[in-house]
Amino acid sequence: MKLSINWINEYVKFPKTTKPEVIVEHLVKLGYEVEAVEIFGNVQGPLVVGKVEKIEILNEFKKPIRYCTVNVGNKTQGIICGASNFKEGDLVVVALPGAILPGDFKISERETYGKVSQGMICSAKELGFSDNHEGIMVLANDLKIGSDAKNLLGLGETVLDISILPDRGYAMSVRGIGRELALSMNVKYVDPILQKIPKVKKSPKLKTKINTKDASKIALVTLSDYKTDSTSPIFMQKRLAQSGIRTISLPVDVTNYLMLEIGQPLHAFDADKISGGIQIRNSKQGEILETLDHVKRKLDSSTLVIADNKKALSIAGVMGGLESEITDKSRNLIIESAVFDKASISRTSRSLKLPSEASKRFERGTDPAVSEYAAILAAHYLVKYGKGKITGISIAKNIIKPITINFNPNEVKRLIGVDIDKATIQKILKSLNIGVTKTGDKWKLRTPSWRHDLHHQADIVEEIVRIWGYHKIPSRLPTTHLGSGLSKAQKTKRALSIKMASLGANEVLNYPFVSLDQISQLGISSKDQRANLVRLANPLSEDTPNLRTTLLPGLIIAAARNISRGIDNVAIFEQGSVYHQSTKNVKNIKPKLMKRPTNIEISNLNHLIPVQPKMLAGVFMGDKNQSGWWPNSQKYSWHDPIEMVVELCTEFGIEVSLTNAKHAPFHPGRCAEISINKKIIGYAGEFHPGVVEKSGLSGKVYGFEICMDDIIENAIDQMAPTFSAMPVVKEDLAFVVGKDAMALDLITTIQRTAGSLLESVRLFDVYEGSSIGQNKKSMAFNLRFRATDRTLTSDEVSKIRLQIVEAVAKEHSGSLRA
Amino acid sequence: MSQDSNLVSAESINLAVSSALSEIDKANDLDELKLIKLNHAGDRSPIALANREIGSLQGEAKSEAGKRIGQARSVVKEALDNRMVELQNNREDSILVAEKVDVTQVLANAKSSSLVVGARHPLTTIAEHIADVFIAMGYEIAEGPEAEAEWFNFDSLNISEDHPSRSSSDTFYVESLDSGVVMRTQTSPVQMRAMLERKPPIYVIAPGKVFRTDELDATHTPVFHQVEGLAVDKNLTMADLKGTLDHLAKTMFGEEIETRFRPSYFPFTEPSAELDLKCFVCKGVNKKEDFDCKTCRNEGWIEWGGCGMVNPNVLETAGIDSTRYSGFAFGMGLERTLMFRYGITDMHDLVEADIRFTSNFGLGI
């Protein structure tokens, strides 16, 4: 909401010299943000009211040019002007030589069109007054010739752009914000509705009623013999322009002006287009109304309309109807001023996407006490600045129950932690027009008609502290409370993230939005649980309307983005939720408020939402460590992601088992299924070359995805190991076995046969080649033997070695490699 | 005479000494010399074996042999010692000199060389840093789902049925619009879950992902992060809230940071406040013509987060007696905090997963 300081100052009596910063500071303290402090129409130098005495038309140019003789008070000036919307005798705004208009436009005496032009006759746009550039500004005839036009037009005045919190509808006017500003600045406040205006008698003819629960009041003032050919008074044009509202016609300008000043939105109808009485009712289902913007709108029964006996005339509080709109020819007018239910207007303006200055005020609640006054004052202005006769007023209203709040002044200390004495509390309440009836500490409060935001004690406490000063709230720490730190799950999650980064991967945080296409591109079949996607009702983009069931699409896209930016080696990981359809079929439930929901209700709410396990996934390609002048560079390989998962699990004392598996998006021969205690926790390995191609990547790409929740669940605290100080005996054994033999099977045989003296066994080489034989491979193991209590003899170890060789021969048809 | 007695003969000893001296002389490096020492002066060397025979000799033969062997041993030892010194000097003067490297090569490889280095996202680590400040004050981390029941995200937090934030132009709904499930628009539903899961006193902090239907641009993203705090106890006041947030501000921005409370509005708190930080770049001196402060956009203050005393309606809905207990809650955006804390000017950097951005932040522990 934009308001000039000058307008506010009319009702808030701070000294004229008060700096804008001071006013801004008071507003901020009261909870109003000031978005901008602007200078309206920055004009410097002489700008005066001039009277056009003579117009000489020069016809020898492309278009007719006017050479005007203008009386600027003490002298006349000859001025060239291209516009033609004025006549001799009109008063205009003249920029004299030496003036500087907005945009650093310097005015000087100059020769043009064969004449000397001694200044400029200005348009509203050239002055920065409004964006109206259709011709020059013609002023009302009662102004003093030669007087300062800057002052008249409010040029150079300061305008504040104030943002009003959604609960403070009452502050959306000079009247509302002025009251609090005066309080904060400790200066006199004059309520704008206390101007004396003529009484209006009850209308003899016009009947009105309220036929809905969503409205509580309507006041209609009728005018006859209305006529205007003049524009709105300059003070009104000025203030509307300063508030960023276009001047249109006297009736529209007057209603806008009073809305800004008093906070009551008004609407004017052409009385001759209306048949019978006027009512507020809910729209009939499917009723059609063509609104001012020439759109035919189909309304539903939740929409409030102002209607006559036959038809809807306007969408209440949101937009007028085209048919009953006032025009130049309207002679009989009805000014409507009403009070609607906040929520109803909010729903309508939102569903029709028609936010307006009026609907913004109705949505936040208007003051029912000013609606009649505003309608009468509007009619009064129309008569005063136009011509016509006020013929009567019709009012219908429902009883509005006044709000009373039981308040204990000790609540201030309980919630804020400061002692504000009761006398001060009472004084603040009174200054906010809140009535107090005291019985000890039981105070009964009556809120003023414009406050729709006060319902509970806490609301009152906020008001008291707001006026007393938020900046005076002290800074204290609560008494220490004992906590137990991070939970096991939280520690595990952090450690997993640190571990992944230490293993060389960079964390990314992708959006969880995917499409079924992206899922099928990974080779995931439509029967896979990951293809059963949760969909958003209102996705940002129809390209990705679903929620992810796997982190891999996002990671693969992120990898491709990095590659496209010239980064050759990519190692990235993500920890995040995935979303699966809820397995329970639960209907949308809304437990009652103001009491704890039952456990069944809580459980139903939890079954309503998707199942959201937390996953950990990574994608790797290119060099693991770059090649260079140092030894041993390595490229990522199929085993890296598998090894990482094993390492992550080992970190938390978890033993995993691996088996070869076929699982999209992985290479069917290079994918490990990873399980903990027979429960599959995820997959790792090399991606299918087809998936890599479709992703716009090239070369080999590796990755894994595991369920983090499973790791968290199985994580155990590592106990201290025991180890022997006796010497170790090392033994290397290479076996020639069939090509399909599994390393882990051989190790199992070795371990079982060797017994407790075998400290460790490790596969250190795998070799295939003609020297080994067709369909054969050699696997070489490094064994370490150690006893806890003695030095092993070579006899002992040779005996075990022999047993191992025999067992491998028997169980795996393996022979010692020569 | 046995063959063994030949071992002690002058001839044998001289031969052993000359062969030792010749090999010592030929030793190229300390490793070779070590082996030569073992062969010629070790337990199984000819001289050592000869020494063992002395015991079986008698009289003059014994003393002569003893003398001979003693001399031989000291000759060999001296040669070994001398050669050792020579070779050590040689190592210092030539080998180690020849092995000299250019250590600046390491920096000549820009980022990443032979070491495998990864990094965590700064949003993750800043959330952890904030959580840790609160854990030190006895808080616990609370969590909740990202696709959340509308009741938890809105209704239970005193956000009315017709509140504008519920519109589908602000909130993502899981299909269909009346499913009762939204992508949570704030971390505040975790407050309600925390209150339903625990009994007062409750002190929790809840960092997490939230969603709003904003298109990605330099300052907006549809998926962003917040951190939410909630304390419910007897005798908690707005002064405790101020102190708590002041402490957080100091740990994040330094002891010098200034804060201010100003009135605000949130349906789930009453009274409500906005916490502003005095701009730590321009120190609030925002009116200078010659300095354009990008951090506070010349406003002097930076809006950091919303907070307030938990609305009694919210406490009652959680089954907590609002006349016996009071609580405070606060929430702030992590992207914004990161942006002005680390001078990040474009939201794209935070969401595009460019590893050049992330790797700059390291493990961030």
Side-chain angles (χ1 to χ4, degrees):
Chain A
M1 178 178 66
K2 283 184 173 183
L3 291 177
S4 73
I5 289 182
N6 171 293
W7 197 349
I8 299 170
N9 200 193
E10 187 178 339
Y11 301 105
V12 183
K13 303 294 186 184
F14 48 80
K16 292 257 180 280
T17 50
T18 309
K19 288 209 165 87
E21 298 93 271
V22 174
I23 297 167
V24 169
E25 210 179 300
H26 280 285
L27 289 171
V28 169
K29 270 187 196 162
L30 288 164
Y32 303 104
E33 270 182 79
V34 177
E35 306 281 351
V37 180
E38 294 163 359
I39 302 295
F40 178 72
N42 197 2
V43 175
Q44 280 152 35
L47 190 79
V48 297
V49 175
K51 184 176 182 185
V52 181
E53 306 214 304
K54 206 176 130 211
I55 299 172
E56 181 189 336
I57 298 179
L58 312 176
N59 278 321
E60 61 267 42
F61 305 101
K62 269 186 209 156
K63 56 170 191 169
I65 295 293
R66 291 174 158 202
Y67 179 67
C68 312
T69 309
V70 186
N71 178 354
V72 293
N74 47 5
K75 57 182 172 178
T76 57
Q77 309 276 98
I79 299 172
I80 288 288
C81 184
S84 56
N85 66 320
F86 60 99
K87 56 186 193 298
E88 287 176 0
D90 278 352
L91 296 192
V92 294
V93 181
V94 180
L96 295 172
I100 305 170
L101 301 188
D104 205 24
F105 182 20
K106 294 190 175 84
I107 304 300
S108 58
E109 195 173 294
R110 64 196 177 105
E111 269 197 55
T112 178
Y113 296 105
K115 302 274 183 188
V116 175
S117 183
Q118 298 168 302
M120 188 169 101
I121 302 175
C122 305
S123 73
K125 193 180 184 187
E126 284 157 344
L127 295 169
F129 186 83
S130 74
D131 54 5
N132 185 358
H133 55 90
E134 293 159 19
I136 58 114
M137 257 185 119
V138 178
L139 304 172
N141 272 326
D142 54 354
L143 298 165
K144 188 166 175 268
I145 295 162
S147 62
D148 178 22
K150 271 188 290 185
N151 202 12
L152 180 76
L153 300 176
L155 302 175
E157 287 182 9
T158 305
V159 173
L160 304 179
D161 187 355
I162 308 165
S163 86
I164 310 286
L165 291 167
D167 61 332
R168 300 193 182 277
Y170 68 88
M172 294 193 78
S173 62
V174 177
R175 177 182 187 237
I177 205 150
R179 181 184 291 109
E180 290 191 352
L181 185 60
L183 200 56
S184 176
M185 296 180 84
N186 198 19
V187 296
K188 188 172 185 267
Y189 167 69
V190 179
D191 192 332
I193 69 161
L194 297 180
Q195 305 177 49
K196 281 227 164 78
I197 50 167
K199 282 237 157 60
V200 177
K201 63 178 191 314
K202 197 166 174 279
S203 171
K205 285 190 294 193
L206 186 62
K207 287 213 167 72
T208 186
K209 60 186 171 189
I210 298 170
N211 275 334
T212 173
K213 61 172 179 39
D214 290 338
S216 52
K217 193 163 181 185
I218 182 165
L220 302 167
V221 176
T222 51
L223 268 94
S224 65
D225 305 320
Y226 172 73
K227 199 174 177 221
T228 177
D229 49 9
S230 65
T231 46
S232 307
I234 199 78
F235 81 91
M236 196 176 280
Q237 283 193 45
K238 170 186 103 172
R239 284 178 174 170
L240 288 173
Q242 288 172 332
S243 295
I245 291 177
R246 282 188 72 147
T247 48
I248 293 167
S249 65
L250 182 63
V252 175
D253 293 353
V254 164
T255 54
N256 281 335
Y257 184 82
L258 290 179
M259 174 178 73
L260 287 171
E261 185 163 278
I262 301 174
Q264 172 69 54
L266 300 163
H267 187 71
F269 294 102
D270 184 334
D272 297 328
K273 307 272 175 62
I274 287 165
S275 46
I278 287 185
Q279 58 171 317
I280 311 178
R281 61 165 166 84
N282 287 86
S283 170
K284 291 165 194 153
Q285 192 68 37
E287 189 169 6
I288 288 169
L289 175 68
E290 186 169 3
T291 44
L292 285 177
D293 51 359
H294 298 271
V295 177
K296 286 195 173 111
R297 298 178 188 276
K298 200 173 192 179
L299 308 174
D300 64 32
S301 61
S302 72
T303 310
L304 279 188
V305 293
I306 310 291
D308 63 11
N309 288 354
K310 289 185 177 155
K311 60 196 181 293
L313 302 172
S314 73
I315 303 175
V318 174
M319 194 179 253
L322 191 63
E323 200 189 327
S324 57
E325 185 190 13
I326 47 164
T327 65
D328 298 348
K329 298 181 187 74
S330 304
R331 293 295 168 261
N332 298 302
L333 308 187
I334 298 173
I335 310 287
E336 170 235 319
S337 178
V339 179
F340 306 114
D341 176 62
K342 296 191 289 182
S344 166
I345 302 300
S346 160
R347 269 194 307 272
T348 303
S349 84
R350 235 184 317 132
S351 70
L352 297 178
K353 296 197 169 66
L354 281 177
S356 66
E357 288 298 322
S359 69
K360 267 191 239 165
R361 285 168 175 79
F362 282 125
E363 268 170 34
R364 289 164 168 80
T366 55
D367 181 358
V370 304
S371 38
E372 294 164 49
Y373 176 88
I376 297 170
L377 185 58
H380 177 64
Y381 276 169
L382 290 182
V383 172
K384 185 172 172 189
Y385 299 111
K387 199 181 141 215
K389 211 169 73 192
I390 298 175
T391 51
I393 183 166
S394 300
I395 297 170
K397 57 184 166 189
N398 294 336
I399 293 160
I400 304 166
K401 267 199 205 148
I403 295 171
T404 56
I405 299 168
N406 293 321
F407 180 69
N408 182 333
N410 299 316
E411 277 292 289
V412 177
K413 183 164 190 212
R414 189 176 83 97
L415 291 179
I416 308 301
V418 286
D419 263 317
I420 304 178
D421 64 83
K422 286 171 192 169
T424 307
I425 291 175
Q426 197 176 350
K427 204 177 129 209
I428 291 173
L429 291 174
K430 193 169 165 248
S431 73
L432 290 168
N433 301 64
I434 296 170
V436 182
T437 315
K438 296 199 293 187
T439 318
D441 278 344
K442 284 184 179 164
W443 295 14
K444 210 170 208 67
L445 309 183
R446 289 174 314 280
T447 63
S449 56
W450 57 85
R451 295 300 296 259
H452 304 292
D453 57 326
L454 306 176
H455 306 281
H456 306 289
Q457 294 205 82
D459 301 331
I460 300 296
V461 171
E462 178 175 277
E463 285 309 288
I464 291 160
V465 182
R466 193 166 65 94
I467 302 303
W468 178 75
Y470 265 47
H471 59 286
K472 289 192 265 180
I473 297 173
S475 183
R476 265 203 306 263
L477 278 171
T479 7
T480 316
H481 164 77
L482 293 180
S484 45
L486 293 177
S487 70
K488 181 181 115 180
Q490 289 155 357
K491 273 187 222 162
T492 308
K493 183 175 176 245
R494 270 196 198 186
L496 284 169
S497 140
I498 294 167
K499 189 96 190 176
M500 279 311 297
S502 330
L503 289 170
N506 282 274
E507 188 182 18
V508 301
L509 298 167
N510 292 313
Y511 290 170
F513 309 130
V514 297
S515 66
L516 189 57
D517 267 3
Q518 288 175 351
I519 297 292
S520 19
Q521 253 186 39
L522 295 185
I524 294 171
S525 90
S526 58
K527 288 184 196 103
D528 192 301
Q529 190 204 9
R530 289 172 296 168
N532 187 13
L533 299 170
V534 174
R535 194 179 201 284
L536 292 177
N538 54 334
L540 264 192
S541 158
E542 281 301 327
D543 293 340
T544 51
N546 300 103
L547 296 177
R548 65 188 178 191
T549 47
T550 154
L551 302 181
L552 292 175
L555 283 166
I556 290 171
I557 290 167
R561 190 181 300 125
N562 275 287
I563 297 285
S564 76
R565 292 179 177 186
I567 296 152
D568 302 323
N569 307 307
V570 177
I572 50 178
F573 77 99
E574 180 170 14
Q575 289 181 316
S577 296
V578 297
Y579 313 81
H580 295 288
Q581 300 278 7
S582 170
T583 46
K584 300 263 167 51
N585 191 9
V586 182
K587 285 240 167 66
N588 181 6
I589 60 151
K590 293 268 170 102
K592 284 219 166 61
L593 302 176
M594 298 301 286
K595 68 177 185 47
R596 194 185 203 280
T598 63
N599 288 343
I600 292 169
E601 284 172 327
I602 295 173
S603 143
N604 280 338
L605 285 168
N606 286 333
H607 286 137
L608 185 66
I609 60 176
V611 179
Q612 296 164 67
K614 287 204 175 64
M615 309 295 280
L616 170 60
V619 166
F620 311 89
M621 59 190 299
D623 292 344
K624 180 151 88 176
N625 41 14
Q626 281 184 313
S627 60
W629 44 261
W630 53 87
N632 301 332
S633 76
Q634 279 178 300
K635 284 195 166 309
Y636 277 109
S637 152
W638 63 268
H639 69 89
D640 282 306
I642 306 175
E643 216 173 302
M644 283 181 201
V645 175
V646 173
E647 174 58 27
L648 292 175
C649 292
T650 311
E651 172 84 24
F652 302 104
I654 302 169
E655 217 177 295
V656 295
S657 48
L658 301 177
T659 48
N660 271 69
K662 290 184 170 53
H663 185 81
F666 293 96
H667 182 308
R670 295 188 168 186
C671 169
E673 180 183 278
I674 301 149
S675 330
I676 303 175
N677 300 328
K678 300 210 169 125
K679 185 181 178 199
I680 300 167
I681 65 152
Y683 296 86
E686 183 174 322
F687 289 128
H688 193 293
V691 169
V692 174
E693 272 164 31
K694 279 186 195 144
S695 317
L697 290 168
S698 58
K700 298 206 175 234
V701 186
Y702 310 95
F704 73 82
E705 179 166 40
I706 52 173
C707 178
M708 207 154 62
D709 296 336
D710 287 329
I711 296 192
I712 287 167
E713 195 179 308
N714 289 287
I716 50 166
D717 286 337
Q718 297 276 37
M719 301 307 279
T722 53
F723 45 84
S724 162
M726 293 296 148
V728 66
V729 178
K730 296 177 195 168
E731 192 73 53
D732 288 347
L733 287 174
F735 293 105
V736 175
V737 289
K739 200 170 180 273
D740 289 337
M742 307 285 270
L744 206 55
D745 296 341
L746 262 83
I747 283 187
T748 310
T749 302
I750 293 169
Q751 282 172 331
R752 198 193 61 240
T753 316
S756 62
L757 292 177
L758 179 69
E759 184 182 70
S760 69
V761 52
R762 177 176 87 87
L763 175 71
F764 73 90
D765 191 37
V766 181
Y767 176 77
E768 284 176 50
S770 52
S771 62
I772 303 292
Q774 203 87 58
N775 288 326
K776 298 263 178 203
K777 64 180 172 186
S778 152
M779 293 176 121
F781 298 91
N782 179 242
L783 287 72
R784 293 163 67 90
F785 295 93
R786 198 188 319 245
T788 53
D789 54 348
R790 64 187 192 281
T791 303
L792 286 178
T793 65
S794 49
D795 280 357
E796 271 179 292
V797 175
S798 332
K799 216 168 110 191
I800 298 171
R801 186 178 183 275
L802 198 66
Q803 284 165 354
I804 292 171
V805 173
E806 279 170 7
V808 170
K810 195 174 153 205
E811 291 171 27
H812 304 283
S813 316
S815 55
L816 261 191
R817 189 177 169 191
Chain B
M1 291 290 279
S2 69
Q3 199 190 347
D4 290 349
S5 63
N6 283 338
L7 286 171
V8 299
S9 69
E11 199 184 339
S12 302
I13 297 297
N14 286 343
L15 187 67
V17 169
S18 65
S19 113
L21 293 181
S22 141
E23 283 198 35
I24 288 166
D25 196 42
K26 277 187 270 177
N28 285 316
D29 59 35
L30 289 163
D31 287 342
E32 275 181 40
L33 190 67
K34 213 169 157 185
L35 200 67
I36 292 165
K37 186 180 178 182
L38 190 71
N39 292 339
H40 295 279
D43 288 349
R44 313 282 298 173
S45 64
I47 296 174
L49 294 175
N51 195 41
R52 285 192 203 165
E53 295 302 315
I54 293 177
S56 60
L57 299 178
Q58 304 291 323
E60 200 173 324
K62 187 173 182 174
S63 70
E64 267 179 25
K67 207 170 155 192
R68 202 157 46 235
I69 289 165
Q71 275 170 355
R73 284 181 118 174
S74 73
V75 167
V76 171
K77 183 176 183 298
E78 197 187 333
L80 276 168
D81 288 350
N82 289 342
R83 187 66 186 147
M84 173 94 78
V85 171
E86 268 174 42
L87 287 173
Q88 273 170 350
N89 287 342
N90 183 39
R91 184 172 71 180
E92 291 301 322
D93 297 343
S94 65
I95 299 177
L96 294 192
V97 168
E99 279 178 6
K100 183 192 170 199
V101 298
D102 170 9
V103 295
T104 70
Q105 271 175 243
V106 172
L107 286 182
N109 288 286
K111 200 84 189 169
S112 94
S113 53
S114 65
L115 288 182
V116 182
V117 185
R120 297 201 298 153
H121 199 285
L123 280 169
T124 303
T125 53
I126 199 170
E128 288 179 5
H129 290 170
I130 293 176
D132 287 345
V133 172
F134 283 95
I135 283 169
M137 290 192 276
Y139 284 59
E140 287 171 18
I141 296 182
E143 290 163 290
E146 292 167 4
E148 179 60 289
E150 209 180 339
W151 188 86
F152 276 115
N153 194 71
F154 291 125
D155 301 58
S156 71
L157 298 172
N158 203 37
I159 300 172
S160 64
E161 202 71 53
D162 47 52
H163 194 275
S165 68
R166 287 191 175 213
S167 91
S168 61
S169 58
D170 285 327
T171 299
F172 286 115
Y173 281 80
V174 164
E175 196 168 60
S176 59
L177 281 174
D178 59 0
S179 63
V181 183
V182 298
M183 299 305 287
R184 67 178 180 197
T185 58
Q186 47 192 0
T187 38
S188 310
V190 183
Q191 277 186 31
M192 182 51 65
R193 287 184 175 274
M195 286 190 282
L196 291 175
E197 282 160 15
R198 298 163 166 82
K199 284 198 168 72
I202 298 167
Y203 289 83
V204 292
I205 186 96
K209 233 175 230 177
V210 299
F211 306 81
R212 286 183 204 171
T213 58
D214 291 321
E215 296 280 354
L216 173 66
D217 66 22
T219 54
H220 297 86
T221 162
V223 183
F224 56 105
H225 298 75
Q226 283 185 340
V227 61
E228 184 92 6
L230 169 76
V232 179
D233 204 341
K234 281 176 183 156
N235 306 320
L236 281 182
T237 69
M238 216 151 162
D240 298 310
L241 168 63
K242 180 81 172 23
T244 303
L245 291 177
D246 279 350
H247 177 64
L248 177 65
K250 281 180 182 156
T251 57
M252 301 290 294
F253 301 100
E255 280 294 320
E256 303 304 312
I257 196 81
E258 257 185 73
T259 63
R260 79 172 176 196
F261 260 0
R262 69 190 151 78
S264 191
Y265 170 74
F266 306 103
F268 35 93
T269 50
E270 190 76 33
S272 302
E274 199 77 52
L275 183 79
D276 293 344
L277 303 172
K278 170 91 54 91
C279 180
F280 45 83
V281 175
C282 68
K283 310 285 178 209
V285 188
N286 55 325
K287 299 293 185 291
K288 276 191 192 164
E289 298 261 321
D290 55 343
F291 181 70
D292 185 26
C293 185
K294 293 207 163 54
T295 307
C296 68
R297 289 176 300 151
N298 295 326
E299 283 169 11
W301 291 89
I302 299 164
E303 200 175 301
W304 194 25
C307 59
M309 300 305 291
V310 181
N311 191 305
N313 292 354
V314 175
L315 290 175
E316 295 294 337
T317 299
I320 295 171
D321 182 349
S322 64
T323 61
R324 283 179 63 215
Y325 291 97
S326 56
F328 61 73
F330 56 88
M332 51 222 21
L334 292 182
E335 274 78 1
R336 260 178 67 72
T337 307
L338 256 195
M339 286 174 96
F340 56 69
R341 177 77 177 72
Y342 293 108
I344 299 163
T345 52
D346 195 330
M347 188 68 80
H348 288 87
D349 291 340
L350 287 170
V351 307
E352 282 184 346
D354 193 313
I355 60 175
R356 289 169 299 179
F357 174 76
T358 326
S359 59
N360 203 45
F361 292 94
L363 291 190
I365 302 165

